[in-house]
């Protein structure tokens, strides 16, 4: 049946989740998606307006939203240049505008600074050394946990944390120097802690992670230029910190952790914390959205635990195979064959409504800084 103009189709939300005044049983488009709202510019509460359906003739159909009322796990796929980071930015804008939720963006490429125009702030990453479990420190520093230096670092951090303090790296080095261990072991452990200090992301007096989500405005963790190990430490601390803050009742809003280039963080010490959000984050109300141009580099659990999948164009065989893992019995046909070709177009698989849709992502309201530079533009500027 024709879609009435000005109605918003909400993905990730089935009719049973809605208060009675938000449901509209007469507005089903035949796809199973919930259709609510009175005007094109007036989406229902707790809904992220991400774009519109893409008709077969290329025209824009009814507006499409994503549910923000409940926590979700999602993935955004797309080869370079197809709009993956752009889509993540659209979602961040919408979350920032909604009540009761807050976006925290992991920005490894330095492309989300435009969210400052939506009241956001770009944050230089700083986490407390105590936010990294003692058993993880040897891996973080590239040490064998069973080696002398690795076991010494583990023991020193554990002693400091068990004492209830928030130790600095300088204090940990002092403890290593004073430890009852061979001089060579103490020297190696101290040198690795000195390397960690050079990363500039550890601060014993750093604000608690919950402060990133305290005011409801977007927080962008600028990890551009940060060493891989240090970036993984920050993501681990933030992911686990948001989870614990919700468990402890220290965070009244529901945080959405949006991670760009997420494949880089599933191959390191951040993986356990991200996996916790995927498998257990819904209970305390923490959402996780992982965006990547390399779906094959994500663990299978990232796809299997996601109730919302957004895929821009993919061409690499391994990445298409990972997309195929999302195919469910309610989907007819091959998902890979349904991927759109155009930039800014995406296939959205919605587990809540057991449907798949082709969507054109709306334009950003804040500047997008992820566009690749072009030599032609530089030469034009020089001629001026």
């Amino acid at each position: 049946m024709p879609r009435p103009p000005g109605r918003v189709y909400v993905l990730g939300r089935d009719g049973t989740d809605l208060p009675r005044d938000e449901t509209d049983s007469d507005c089903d488009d035949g796809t199973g998606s919930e259709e609510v709202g009175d005007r094109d510019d007036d989406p229902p509460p707790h809904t992220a307006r991400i774009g519109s359906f893409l008709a077969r003739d290329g025209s824009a159909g009814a507006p499409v939203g994503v549910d923000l009322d409940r926590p979700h796990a999602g993935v955004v796929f797309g080869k370079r240049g197809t709009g993956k980071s752009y889509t993540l930015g659209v979602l961040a804008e919408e979350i920032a505008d909604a009540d009761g939720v807050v976006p925290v963006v992991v920005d490894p490429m330095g492309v989300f600074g435009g969210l400052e125009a939506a009241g956001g702030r770009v944050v230089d990453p700083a986490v407390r050394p105590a936010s990294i479990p003692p058993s993880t420190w040897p891996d973080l520093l590239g040490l064998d946990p069973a080696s002398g230096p690795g076991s010494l670092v583990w023991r020193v951090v554990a002693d400091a944390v068990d004492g209830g303090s928030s130790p600095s790296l300088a204090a940990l080095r002092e403890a290593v120097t004073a430890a009852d261990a061979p001089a060579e072991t103490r020297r190696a452990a101290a040198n690795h802690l000195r390397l960690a200090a050079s990363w500039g992301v550890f601060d014993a007096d750093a604000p608690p992670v919950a402060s990133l989500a305290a005011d409801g405005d977007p927080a962008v963790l600028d990890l551009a230029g940060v060493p891989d190990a240090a970036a993984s430490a920050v993501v681990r601390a933030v992911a686990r910190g948001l989870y614990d803050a919700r468990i402890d009742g220290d965070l009244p809003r529901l945080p959405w952790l949006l991670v760009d280039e997420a494949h880089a963080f599933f191959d390191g010490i951040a993986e356990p914390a991200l996996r916790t959000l995927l498998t257990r984050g819904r209970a305390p109300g923490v959402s996780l959205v992982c965006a990547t141009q390399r779906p094959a580099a994500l663990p299978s659990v990232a796809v299997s635990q996601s109730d919302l999948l957004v895929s821009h164009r993919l061409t690499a065989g391994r990445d298409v195979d990972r997309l195929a893992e999302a195919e469910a019995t309610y989907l007819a046909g091959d998902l890979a064959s349904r991927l759109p070709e155009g930039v800014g177009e995406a296939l959205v698989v919605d587990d809540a409504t057991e449907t798949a849709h082709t969507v054109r992502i709306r334009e950003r309201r804040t500047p997008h800084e992820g566009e690749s530079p072009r030599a032609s533009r530089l030469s034009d500027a020089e001629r001026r």
Side-chain angles (χ1 to χ4, degrees):
M1 83 185 231
R3 297 186 180 103
R7 313 294 285 186
V8 180
Y9 290 75
V10 184
L11 306 172
R13 178 188 298 166
D14 61 36
T16 61
D17 287 338
L18 294 174
R20 293 186 61 85
D21 60 353
E22 288 187 23
T23 58
D24 189 343
S25 59
D26 295 329
C27 295
D28 188 357
D29 72 339
T31 66
S33 295
E34 188 65 28
E35 185 181 21
V36 289
D38 294 328
R39 300 191 311 274
D40 187 54
D41 60 349
D42 185 22
H46 301 104
T47 299
R49 167 74 185 282
I50 63 168
S52 58
F53 285 114
L54 186 65
R56 289 186 177 87
D57 63 3
S59 62
V64 177
V66 172
D67 172 60
L68 298 180
D69 192 42
R70 287 183 138 183
H72 296 276
V75 289
V76 180
F77 295 156
K79 66 179 293 184
R80 182 177 178 182
T82 57
K84 163 188 61 67
S85 298
Y86 193 99
T87 297
L88 206 64
V90 168
L91 187 56
E93 289 177 349
E94 293 291 325
I95 296 169
D97 281 347
D99 295 330
V101 291
V102 56
V104 178
V105 183
V106 173
D107 184 10
M109 303 299 290
V111 300
F112 289 93
L115 289 172
E116 288 182 317
R121 65 190 190 281
V122 177
V123 180
D124 289 330
V127 297
R128 299 178 183 182
S131 64
I132 305 299
S135 60
T136 303
W137 271 92
D139 288 338
L140 173 61
L141 300 179
L143 293 169
D144 181 353
S147 68
S151 61
L152 177 57
V153 169
W154 184 340
R155 173 161 52 89
V156 163
V157 176
D159 289 344
V161 173
D162 289 345
S165 65
S166 176
S168 65
L169 288 184
L172 294 177
R173 288 200 307 272
E174 291 176 2
V176 162
T177 301
D180 182 13
E184 183 177 348
T185 297
R186 287 184 278 119
R187 183 165 53 252
N191 285 340
H192 279 81
L193 287 172
R194 190 171 290 108
L195 172 64
S198 72
W199 297 337
V201 300
F202 290 111
D203 181 355
D205 299 318
V209 169
S211 67
L212 294 172
D215 58 8
D217 293 326
V220 178
L221 293 167
D222 185 3
L223 296 177
V226 175
D228 291 346
S232 291
V234 171
V235 173
R236 164 117 187 201
V238 169
R240 186 69 203 197
L242 292 175
Y243 180 86
D244 290 342
R246 283 293 303 169
I247 291 287
D248 297 338
D250 296 332
L251 186 57
R253 290 181 173 84
L254 302 186
W256 283 65
L257 183 61
L258 312 179
V259 184
D260 201 14
E261 305 298 337
H263 59 273
F265 303 109
F266 277 97
D267 185 23
I269 69 164
E271 179 173 6
L274 294 175
R275 190 179 290 266
T276 294
L277 294 189
L278 286 170
T279 58
R280 291 186 283 162
R282 289 178 178 87
V286 184
S287 298
L288 175 65
V289 179
C290 298
T292 180
Q293 58 182 299
R294 295 176 52 199
L298 290 183
S300 295
V301 68
V303 176
S304 64
Q305 293 294 325
S306 293
D307 59 340
L308 185 68
L309 183 151
V310 179
S311 184
H312 297 274
R313 188 183 180 203
L314 295 170
T315 54
R318 292 179 61 200
D319 294 333
V320 173
D321 290 343
R322 181 50 49 87
L323 175 65
E325 295 180 11
E327 294 186 18
T329 56
Y330 56 79
L331 296 176
D334 177 16
L335 277 182
S337 68
R338 300 171 64 179
L339 289 177
E341 295 289 325
V343 174
E345 299 172 0
L347 179 69
V348 179
V349 180
D350 175 27
D351 200 49
T353 58
E354 299 188 348
T355 55
H357 314 269
T358 303
V359 172
R360 176 176 289 155
I361 304 299
R362 69 159 176 80
E363 291 187 7
R364 289 272 301 269
R365 294 191 294 266
T366 58
H368 176 57
E369 300 175 4
E371 186 177 2
S372 298
R374 297 186 181 181
S376 58
R377 293 176 182 173
L378 294 177
S379 59
D380 288 344
E382 289 177 355
R383 282 195 292 269
R384 293 194 203 100

